[in-house]
Amino acid sequence: MAERIDGKAIAAEVIASVKEGTARLLDEKGIRPGLAVIIVGEDPASEVYVASKSRMANECGFLSVKRELPAATGEAELVRLIEELDADPKIHGILVQLPLPGHIDAKRIIQLVAPEKDVDGFSFVNIGKLRTGELDTAFLPCTPAGCMLLIERVRGRDLAGLDAVVVGRSNIVGKPMANLLLAADCTVTIAHSRTRDLASVIGRADILVAAVGRPEMIKGEWIKPGATVIDVGINRIPAPERGEGKTRLVGDVEHAAAEKVAGAITPVPGGVGPMTIAMLMVNTLTSAYRSAGMEPPSF
Ligand code: GUN
């Protein structure tokens, strides 16, 4: 039976270290990390995410600014707000919650966040730094950075030569995840919806990261015995066995079968999810340390 990788507990440890780092920065430099989160419109899932990001920032002792704009907000107004936050020395991290309403050019907006405040790691500068291995001055996207931390907890920091397979090629998870594993000297394969014979590709993986957004599409029997399995998927499916109209959350991996084969596996929920928010706090703290000319704590 696979070891259960407890993302909730590991995220709580990370948050405890962030709090210590915050106290030290305030004590030594009188600087409080500041995080601004912007949401446009009323997408229910986004509202939940933004509320938990702001709550966690408060808990970490940050200055936590939440800007909620109506769905009809014009692009020009959003541009002005980002420029104002870019110029505000009290703000060290800016996050524009995605998706944005259709009338706003999200690609343009994302690139207006100053790279040194881009705690999502979505700006071309930060993507380029990740791609070229300049990890010390980059911001790493939160979900892949959280996955890396979970992998290192299981495998240790030396991942050189391991076969890693990332299933999914999104800009938010799949592509940066593959680059992080490559920077750690893994042999990396990116698989996706058009990959031929996915089962045999997955069968090579010492480290498997699933980020496709399709419920339990990765079968337990495909997984290499002893593999480390990180399931990024969060899919809500009907659960009639729990009563009429009930639902439950499942990952992209067929968990019950996979845990019989894998060496270690994340649960859904309680695996990758809590790490994403924890890494946003890490990035904001890191930004505040850099702005103070101090070496940020490492995680
Ligand atoms: N929407 C879903 N995931 C994310 C994320 O990681 N960052 C932002 N800004 N929006 C999201």
PDB file of all heavy atoms in Angstrom, residues 37-38 46 49-50 53 94-99 110 120 122 141-144 172-173 276 280, ligand 1:
ATOM      1  N   VAL A  37      -4.833  40.742  -4.133  1.00  0.00           N
ATOM      2  CA  VAL A  37      -5.544  39.765  -4.965  1.00  0.00           C
ATOM      3  C   VAL A  37      -6.705  40.486  -5.646  1.00  0.00           C
ATOM      4  O   VAL A  37      -7.487  41.171  -4.984  1.00  0.00           O
ATOM      5  CB  VAL A  37      -6.063  38.592  -4.106  1.00  0.00           C
ATOM      6  CG1 VAL A  37      -6.817  37.597  -4.970  1.00  0.00           C
ATOM      7  CG2 VAL A  37      -4.921  37.905  -3.387  1.00  0.00           C
ATOM      8  N   ILE A  38      -6.774  40.353  -6.965  1.00  0.00           N
ATOM      9  CA  ILE A  38      -7.817  41.040  -7.734  1.00  0.00           C
ATOM     10  C   ILE A  38      -8.760  40.001  -8.318  1.00  0.00           C
ATOM     11  O   ILE A  38      -8.319  39.013  -8.912  1.00  0.00           O
ATOM     12  CB  ILE A  38      -7.196  41.844  -8.896  1.00  0.00           C
ATOM     13  CG1 ILE A  38      -6.163  42.837  -8.357  1.00  0.00           C
ATOM     14  CG2 ILE A  38      -8.281  42.562  -9.700  1.00  0.00           C
ATOM     15  CD1 ILE A  38      -5.324  43.483  -9.462  1.00  0.00           C
ATOM     16  N   SER A  46     -13.920  30.959  -8.306  1.00  0.00           N
ATOM     17  CA  SER A  46     -12.893  31.985  -8.102  1.00  0.00           C
ATOM     18  C   SER A  46     -13.101  32.713  -6.781  1.00  0.00           C
ATOM     19  O   SER A  46     -12.139  33.034  -6.081  1.00  0.00           O
ATOM     20  CB  SER A  46     -12.922  33.011  -9.242  1.00  0.00           C
ATOM     21  OG  SER A  46     -12.475  32.426 -10.440  1.00  0.00           O
ATOM     22  N   TYR A  49     -11.656  30.580  -4.051  1.00  0.00           N
ATOM     23  CA  TYR A  49     -10.183  30.593  -4.069  1.00  0.00           C
ATOM     24  C   TYR A  49      -9.637  31.914  -3.524  1.00  0.00           C
ATOM     25  O   TYR A  49      -8.719  31.936  -2.699  1.00  0.00           O
ATOM     26  CB  TYR A  49      -9.658  30.408  -5.498  1.00  0.00           C
ATOM     27  CG  TYR A  49      -9.840  29.033  -6.080  1.00  0.00           C
ATOM     28  CD1 TYR A  49     -10.257  28.862  -7.397  1.00  0.00           C
ATOM     29  CD2 TYR A  49      -9.586  27.883  -5.338  1.00  0.00           C
ATOM     30  CE1 TYR A  49     -10.427  27.604  -7.954  1.00  0.00           C
ATOM     31  CE2 TYR A  49      -9.757  26.624  -5.882  1.00  0.00           C
ATOM     32  CZ  TYR A  49     -10.178  26.488  -7.186  1.00  0.00           C
ATOM     33  OH  TYR A  49     -10.346  25.244  -7.732  1.00  0.00           O
ATOM     34  N   VAL A  50     -10.233  33.015  -3.996  1.00  0.00           N
ATOM     35  CA  VAL A  50      -9.728  34.336  -3.602  1.00  0.00           C
ATOM     36  C   VAL A  50      -9.932  34.561  -2.107  1.00  0.00           C
ATOM     37  O   VAL A  50      -9.046  35.082  -1.415  1.00  0.00           O
ATOM     38  CB  VAL A  50     -10.426  35.428  -4.449  1.00  0.00           C
ATOM     39  CG1 VAL A  50     -10.282  36.793  -3.822  1.00  0.00           C
ATOM     40  CG2 VAL A  50      -9.843  35.423  -5.860  1.00  0.00           C
ATOM     41  N   LYS A  53      -7.244  32.658  -0.316  1.00  0.00           N
ATOM     42  CA  LYS A  53      -5.922  33.291  -0.460  1.00  0.00           C
ATOM     43  C   LYS A  53      -5.801  34.504   0.467  1.00  0.00           C
ATOM     44  O   LYS A  53      -4.790  34.670   1.161  1.00  0.00           O
ATOM     45  CB  LYS A  53      -5.708  33.719  -1.922  1.00  0.00           C
ATOM     46  CG  LYS A  53      -5.460  32.541  -2.859  1.00  0.00           C
ATOM     47  CD  LYS A  53      -5.529  32.933  -4.340  1.00  0.00           C
ATOM     48  CE  LYS A  53      -5.408  31.692  -5.221  1.00  0.00           C
ATOM     49  NZ  LYS A  53      -5.590  31.956  -6.652  1.00  0.00           N
ATOM     50  N   ILE A  94       1.225  40.555  -6.502  1.00  0.00           N
ATOM     51  CA  ILE A  94      -0.063  40.883  -7.141  1.00  0.00           C
ATOM     52  C   ILE A  94      -0.557  39.623  -7.844  1.00  0.00           C
ATOM     53  O   ILE A  94       0.193  38.999  -8.609  1.00  0.00           O
ATOM     54  CB  ILE A  94       0.101  42.014  -8.184  1.00  0.00           C
ATOM     55  CG1 ILE A  94       0.684  43.274  -7.533  1.00  0.00           C
ATOM     56  CG2 ILE A  94      -1.243  42.315  -8.872  1.00  0.00           C
ATOM     57  CD1 ILE A  94       1.091  44.345  -8.541  1.00  0.00           C
ATOM     58  N   LEU A  95      -1.812  39.273  -7.586  1.00  0.00           N
ATOM     59  CA  LEU A  95      -2.399  38.103  -8.242  1.00  0.00           C
ATOM     60  C   LEU A  95      -3.734  38.510  -8.858  1.00  0.00           C
ATOM     61  O   LEU A  95      -4.597  39.026  -8.167  1.00  0.00           O
ATOM     62  CB  LEU A  95      -2.597  36.991  -7.218  1.00  0.00           C
ATOM     63  CG  LEU A  95      -3.192  35.685  -7.745  1.00  0.00           C
ATOM     64  CD1 LEU A  95      -2.557  34.505  -7.043  1.00  0.00           C
ATOM     65  CD2 LEU A  95      -4.696  35.639  -7.574  1.00  0.00           C
ATOM     66  N   VAL A  96      -3.855  38.308 -10.157  1.00  0.00           N
ATOM     67  CA  VAL A  96      -5.122  38.554 -10.843  1.00  0.00           C
ATOM     68  C   VAL A  96      -5.780  37.191 -11.024  1.00  0.00           C
ATOM     69  O   VAL A  96      -5.262  36.339 -11.764  1.00  0.00           O
ATOM     70  CB  VAL A  96      -4.911  39.216 -12.220  1.00  0.00           C
ATOM     71  CG1 VAL A  96      -6.257  39.536 -12.864  1.00  0.00           C
ATOM     72  CG2 VAL A  96      -4.046  40.473 -12.096  1.00  0.00           C
ATOM     73  N   GLN A  97      -6.888  36.970 -10.337  1.00  0.00           N
ATOM     74  CA  GLN A  97      -7.531  35.655 -10.403  1.00  0.00           C
ATOM     75  C   GLN A  97      -8.078  35.396 -11.808  1.00  0.00           C
ATOM     76  O   GLN A  97      -8.733  36.245 -12.401  1.00  0.00           O
ATOM     77  CB  GLN A  97      -8.660  35.575  -9.355  1.00  0.00           C
ATOM     78  CG  GLN A  97      -9.310  34.222  -9.237  1.00  0.00           C
ATOM     79  CD  GLN A  97      -8.387  33.135  -8.671  1.00  0.00           C
ATOM     80  OE1 GLN A  97      -7.452  33.425  -7.925  1.00  0.00           O
ATOM     81  NE2 GLN A  97      -8.625  31.898  -9.034  1.00  0.00           N
ATOM     82  N   LEU A  98      -7.796  34.212 -12.319  1.00  0.00           N
ATOM     83  CA  LEU A  98      -8.297  33.793 -13.630  1.00  0.00           C
ATOM     84  C   LEU A  98      -9.434  32.790 -13.424  1.00  0.00           C
ATOM     85  O   LEU A  98      -9.441  32.089 -12.418  1.00  0.00           O
ATOM     86  CB  LEU A  98      -7.165  33.162 -14.433  1.00  0.00           C
ATOM     87  CG  LEU A  98      -5.943  34.065 -14.653  1.00  0.00           C
ATOM     88  CD1 LEU A  98      -4.848  33.288 -15.356  1.00  0.00           C
ATOM     89  CD2 LEU A  98      -6.313  35.312 -15.436  1.00  0.00           C
ATOM     90  N   PRO A  99     -10.386  32.657 -14.307  1.00  0.00           N
ATOM     91  CA  PRO A  99     -10.490  33.397 -15.567  1.00  0.00           C
ATOM     92  C   PRO A  99     -11.031  34.817 -15.374  1.00  0.00           C
ATOM     93  O   PRO A  99     -11.725  35.089 -14.397  1.00  0.00           O
ATOM     94  CB  PRO A  99     -11.504  32.549 -16.347  1.00  0.00           C
ATOM     95  CG  PRO A  99     -12.370  31.917 -15.292  1.00  0.00           C
ATOM     96  CD  PRO A  99     -11.469  31.680 -14.117  1.00  0.00           C
ATOM     97  N   ILE A 110      -2.186  39.851 -17.688  1.00  0.00           N
ATOM     98  CA  ILE A 110      -1.204  39.068 -16.922  1.00  0.00           C
ATOM     99  C   ILE A 110       0.199  39.661 -17.087  1.00  0.00           C
ATOM    100  O   ILE A 110       0.977  39.730 -16.137  1.00  0.00           O
ATOM    101  CB  ILE A 110      -1.226  37.599 -17.401  1.00  0.00           C
ATOM    102  CG1 ILE A 110      -2.487  36.900 -16.896  1.00  0.00           C
ATOM    103  CG2 ILE A 110       0.006  36.835 -16.926  1.00  0.00           C
ATOM    104  CD1 ILE A 110      -2.706  35.541 -17.531  1.00  0.00           C
ATOM    105  N   ASP A 120       2.349  34.737  -9.104  1.00  0.00           N
ATOM    106  CA  ASP A 120       1.787  33.595  -9.842  1.00  0.00           C
ATOM    107  C   ASP A 120       2.839  32.956 -10.752  1.00  0.00           C
ATOM    108  O   ASP A 120       2.654  31.828 -11.213  1.00  0.00           O
ATOM    109  CB  ASP A 120       0.645  34.080 -10.757  1.00  0.00           C
ATOM    110  CG  ASP A 120      -0.733  33.730 -10.229  1.00  0.00           C
ATOM    111  OD1 ASP A 120      -0.856  32.718  -9.520  1.00  0.00           O
ATOM    112  OD2 ASP A 120      -1.678  34.467 -10.570  1.00  0.00           O
ATOM    113  N   PHE A 122       3.514  33.966 -13.847  1.00  0.00           N
ATOM    114  CA  PHE A 122       2.930  33.880 -15.188  1.00  0.00           C
ATOM    115  C   PHE A 122       3.571  34.841 -16.190  1.00  0.00           C
ATOM    116  O   PHE A 122       3.268  34.784 -17.384  1.00  0.00           O
ATOM    117  CB  PHE A 122       1.417  34.184 -15.144  1.00  0.00           C
ATOM    118  CG  PHE A 122       0.577  33.148 -14.438  1.00  0.00           C
ATOM    119  CD1 PHE A 122      -0.751  33.418 -14.120  1.00  0.00           C
ATOM    120  CD2 PHE A 122       1.089  31.895 -14.098  1.00  0.00           C
ATOM    121  CE1 PHE A 122      -1.546  32.469 -13.473  1.00  0.00           C
ATOM    122  CE2 PHE A 122       0.307  30.949 -13.453  1.00  0.00           C
ATOM    123  CZ  PHE A 122      -1.015  31.245 -13.137  1.00  0.00           C
ATOM    124  N   PRO A 141       5.476  29.183 -10.570  1.00  0.00           N
ATOM    125  CA  PRO A 141       4.029  29.044 -10.423  1.00  0.00           C
ATOM    126  C   PRO A 141       3.704  28.147  -9.224  1.00  0.00           C
ATOM    127  O   PRO A 141       4.389  27.152  -8.966  1.00  0.00           O
ATOM    128  CB  PRO A 141       3.600  28.400 -11.742  1.00  0.00           C
ATOM    129  CG  PRO A 141       4.680  28.755 -12.713  1.00  0.00           C
ATOM    130  CD  PRO A 141       5.947  28.820 -11.910  1.00  0.00           C
ATOM    131  N   CYS A 142       2.656  28.532  -8.481  1.00  0.00           N
ATOM    132  CA  CYS A 142       2.432  27.967  -7.145  1.00  0.00           C
ATOM    133  C   CYS A 142       2.131  26.470  -7.149  1.00  0.00           C
ATOM    134  O   CYS A 142       2.645  25.738  -6.296  1.00  0.00           O
ATOM    135  CB  CYS A 142       1.294  28.721  -6.466  1.00  0.00           C
ATOM    136  SG  CYS A 142       1.648  30.471  -6.313  1.00  0.00           S
ATOM    137  N   THR A 143       1.296  26.007  -8.073  1.00  0.00           N
ATOM    138  CA  THR A 143       0.928  24.583  -8.036  1.00  0.00           C
ATOM    139  C   THR A 143       2.130  23.686  -8.359  1.00  0.00           C
ATOM    140  O   THR A 143       2.421  22.758  -7.598  1.00  0.00           O
ATOM    141  CB  THR A 143      -0.273  24.307  -8.962  1.00  0.00           C
ATOM    142  OG1 THR A 143      -1.380  25.095  -8.494  1.00  0.00           O
ATOM    143  CG2 THR A 143      -0.671  22.844  -8.944  1.00  0.00           C
ATOM    144  N   PRO A 144       2.853  23.923  -9.453  1.00  0.00           N
ATOM    145  CA  PRO A 144       4.038  23.095  -9.705  1.00  0.00           C
ATOM    146  C   PRO A 144       5.081  23.201  -8.595  1.00  0.00           C
ATOM    147  O   PRO A 144       5.685  22.187  -8.224  1.00  0.00           O
ATOM    148  CB  PRO A 144       4.597  23.648 -11.020  1.00  0.00           C
ATOM    149  CG  PRO A 144       3.479  24.381 -11.648  1.00  0.00           C
ATOM    150  CD  PRO A 144       2.595  24.863 -10.558  1.00  0.00           C
ATOM    151  N   ILE A 172      -0.275  26.775 -16.738  1.00  0.00           N
ATOM    152  CA  ILE A 172      -0.295  26.971 -15.280  1.00  0.00           C
ATOM    153  C   ILE A 172       0.339  25.795 -14.551  1.00  0.00           C
ATOM    154  O   ILE A 172       0.993  25.961 -13.529  1.00  0.00           O
ATOM    155  CB  ILE A 172      -1.750  27.209 -14.788  1.00  0.00           C
ATOM    156  CG1 ILE A 172      -2.284  28.532 -15.342  1.00  0.00           C
ATOM    157  CG2 ILE A 172      -1.832  27.203 -13.276  1.00  0.00           C
ATOM    158  CD1 ILE A 172      -3.671  28.922 -14.826  1.00  0.00           C
ATOM    159  N   VAL A 173       0.152  24.581 -15.073  1.00  0.00           N
ATOM    160  CA  VAL A 173       0.687  23.405 -14.359  1.00  0.00           C
ATOM    161  C   VAL A 173       1.652  22.576 -15.223  1.00  0.00           C
ATOM    162  O   VAL A 173       2.833  22.450 -14.893  1.00  0.00           O
ATOM    163  CB  VAL A 173      -0.442  22.495 -13.815  1.00  0.00           C
ATOM    164  CG1 VAL A 173       0.176  21.347 -13.008  1.00  0.00           C
ATOM    165  CG2 VAL A 173      -1.419  23.267 -12.946  1.00  0.00           C
ATOM    166  N   THR A 276      -0.859  24.720  -3.022  1.00  0.00           N
ATOM    167  CA  THR A 276      -0.895  25.846  -3.951  1.00  0.00           C
ATOM    168  C   THR A 276      -0.969  27.167  -3.191  1.00  0.00           C
ATOM    169  O   THR A 276      -0.200  28.105  -3.458  1.00  0.00           O
ATOM    170  CB  THR A 276      -2.098  25.700  -4.914  1.00  0.00           C
ATOM    171  OG1 THR A 276      -1.903  24.519  -5.682  1.00  0.00           O
ATOM    172  CG2 THR A 276      -2.225  26.881  -5.843  1.00  0.00           C
ATOM    173  N   LEU A 280       1.878  30.291  -2.655  1.00  0.00           N
ATOM    174  CA  LEU A 280       1.593  31.708  -2.920  1.00  0.00           C
ATOM    175  C   LEU A 280       2.108  32.568  -1.764  1.00  0.00           C
ATOM    176  O   LEU A 280       2.677  33.650  -1.978  1.00  0.00           O
ATOM    177  CB  LEU A 280       0.081  31.897  -3.120  1.00  0.00           C
ATOM    178  CG  LEU A 280      -0.386  33.327  -3.318  1.00  0.00           C
ATOM    179  CD1 LEU A 280       0.168  33.910  -4.616  1.00  0.00           C
ATOM    180  CD2 LEU A 280      -1.912  33.395  -3.316  1.00  0.00           C
TER     181      LEU A 280
HETATM  182  N1  GUN B   1      -7.246  30.356 -11.465  1.00  0.00           N
HETATM  183  C1  GUN B   1      -7.059  29.021 -11.273  1.00  0.00           C
HETATM  184  N2  GUN B   1      -5.789  28.788 -10.847  1.00  0.00           N
HETATM  185  C2  GUN B   1      -5.188  29.994 -10.762  1.00  0.00           C
HETATM  186  C3  GUN B   1      -3.884  30.395 -10.360  1.00  0.00           C
HETATM  187  O1  GUN B   1      -3.016  29.598 -10.005  1.00  0.00           O
HETATM  188  N3  GUN B   1      -3.646  31.729 -10.399  1.00  0.00           N
HETATM  189  C4  GUN B   1      -4.590  32.625 -10.790  1.00  0.00           C
HETATM  190  N4  GUN B   1      -4.246  33.904 -10.813  1.00  0.00           N
HETATM  191  N5  GUN B   1      -5.801  32.284 -11.164  1.00  0.00           N
HETATM  192  C5  GUN B   1      -6.093  30.969 -11.141  1.00  0.00           C
END
